[in-house]
Amino acid sequence: IHLHFPDWATQFTRMASRPIRNRATIAGNIVNASPAGDLSVMGLALDATLVVAKGWSKRTVALRDFFRGYKVLDLAFDEMIAEIRIPLPAAGTRFGFEKVARRERLDIASVSSAVRLRVHGGVIVEAHAAAGSVAPIPLYLRKTSAFLQGRPISAETARAAADTAAGE
């Protein structure tokens, strides 16, 4: 995982305490459905999908469609997350996660954001952006993600994307 996401180890040290990180699960963090959930925001930008199981029956749901409202999920009382699938990044893919909190460690984000871009020839060919603590749910920034596709990597693109994200 370090080969594809080299700064994850650093990001994970900013989440919860060591005893909680050693005991908790990523699925548990997601179903907690906190609007500030770091792993949910990261998963949204990474275009994660969930395999939800009820007995032997399974269905797949995009993480971006999983959060339906504050603490409301696309998950029945008798279902559980069986798998979390994150596509391996293609060449030219970059991922970033930023968290603003009062303390660097052991704190819930005041706001967070994550973005995954696939770039070819200086142009964004695929984009997924997300934000936390800005809405009742971890928010996949659909308009911002769509806006970025086909745009050149530039300060102007970044400013326009930030304005688009602020509108979402």
Side-chain angles (χ1 to χ4, degrees):
I1 199 149
H2 297 293
L3 175 67
H4 299 290
F5 304 104
D7 67 335
W8 268 33
T10 303
Q11 295 300 338
F12 276 99
T13 64
R14 298 185 65 206
M15 298 175 205
S17 65
R18 182 182 298 254
I20 290 174
R21 285 194 311 270
N22 288 339
R23 188 173 176 104
T25 66
I26 295 173
N29 186 266
I30 290 170
V31 298
N32 180 48
S34 169
D38 297 331
L39 296 175
S40 295
V41 173
M42 293 170 86
L44 288 166
L46 290 168
D47 199 25
T49 57
L50 307 175
V51 176
V52 176
K54 176 183 176 181
W56 293 105
S57 176
K58 294 181 179 179
R59 64 187 177 91
T60 303
V61 60
L63 183 58
R64 72 181 72 151
D65 299 324
F66 189 66
F67 303 104
R68 293 190 168 173
Y70 181 71
K71 301 284 185 176
V72 178
L73 304 171
D74 183 5
L75 187 72
F77 76 93
D78 56 351
E79 291 181 312
M80 63 181 263
I81 296 175
E83 296 175 39
I84 301 167
R85 296 179 179 169
I86 298 172
L88 290 178
T93 299
R94 299 293 179 262
F95 173 77
F97 173 76
E98 292 295 328
K99 175 179 176 176
V100 176
R102 291 177 59 115
R103 298 178 308 206
E104 185 175 345
R105 299 196 188 322
L106 301 174
D107 207 353
I108 295 171
S110 298
V111 67
S112 64
S113 63
V115 65
R116 181 173 65 95
L117 302 175
R118 186 165 53 93
V119 179
H120 182 73
V123 175
I124 301 166
V125 295
E126 182 182 3
H128 297 282
S133 298
V134 298
I137 61 173
L139 190 61
Y140 180 74
L141 300 171
R142 293 176 193 275
K143 291 178 184 175
T144 305
S145 299
F147 169 81
L148 285 166
Q149 291 186 34
R151 305 273 178 171
I153 294 289
S154 68
E156 181 181 328
T157 297
R159 281 190 293 276
D163 289 343
T164 303
E168 288 189 83

